[in-house]
Amino acid sequence: LTHLLPLMTAVMTAKWIADLFTHPLYHALLEVKCIPFLDSKPVLDKLDLFTVRHVMASPVVTVCVKEAVKNIIAILENTDHNAFPVVLKPDSSILVGLISRAQLEV
């Protein structure tokens, strides 16, 4: 326990120095497999600029943020869409998010 802090400091220092002189292995593997390196958090701050009309073809079937289970079951039974836009209120067209059929069926 007394050697834990010096050991952690040595490991982190070694990692930082290695990162300065070499390309990280996992980044190289991503490049070899042609996989794009994505940010850890998606950018969702501009979602309110879109309306439901921009996201889904007609007829638009929306799901409210607070929706009754019977309404969700009816939506799933009567449509074959794979995702549904989420709005604040039934009469609102401001997009809050998108929920997939698989997420609703769980």
Side-chain angles (χ1 to χ4, degrees):
L1 190 62
T2 59
H3 300 294
L4 185 62
L5 184 61
L7 181 64
M8 287 175 39
T9 305
V11 168
M12 289 307 297
T13 303
K15 183 196 178 314
W16 289 332
I17 291 172
D19 285 346
L20 285 176
F21 294 112
T22 62
H23 191 64
L25 176 66
Y26 293 112
H27 290 195
L29 289 175
L30 289 174
E31 290 174 0
V32 167
K33 293 181 178 182
C34 296
I35 299 173
F37 188 71
L38 302 175
D39 292 333
S40 59
K41 285 178 57 177
V43 180
L44 297 175
D45 57 345
K46 296 182 180 171
L47 207 54
D48 58 344
L49 298 177
F50 296 100
T51 61
V52 172
R53 160 179 50 223
H54 294 110
V55 179
M56 190 173 176
S58 64
V60 175
V61 180
T62 61
V63 177
C64 294
V65 173
K66 294 182 180 180
E67 188 76 59
V69 175
K70 66 177 182 176
N71 294 344
I72 293 175
I73 292 171
I75 289 170
L76 292 175
E77 288 176 347
N78 297 327
T79 63
D80 59 348
H81 300 310
N82 287 322
F84 303 93
V86 180
V87 293
L88 287 176
K89 295 180 263 183
D91 57 344
S92 174
S93 65
I94 297 176
L95 183 65
V96 176
L98 192 69
I99 190 162
S100 69
R101 176 177 286 274
Q103 291 171 323
L104 287 173
E105 288 176 343
V106 173

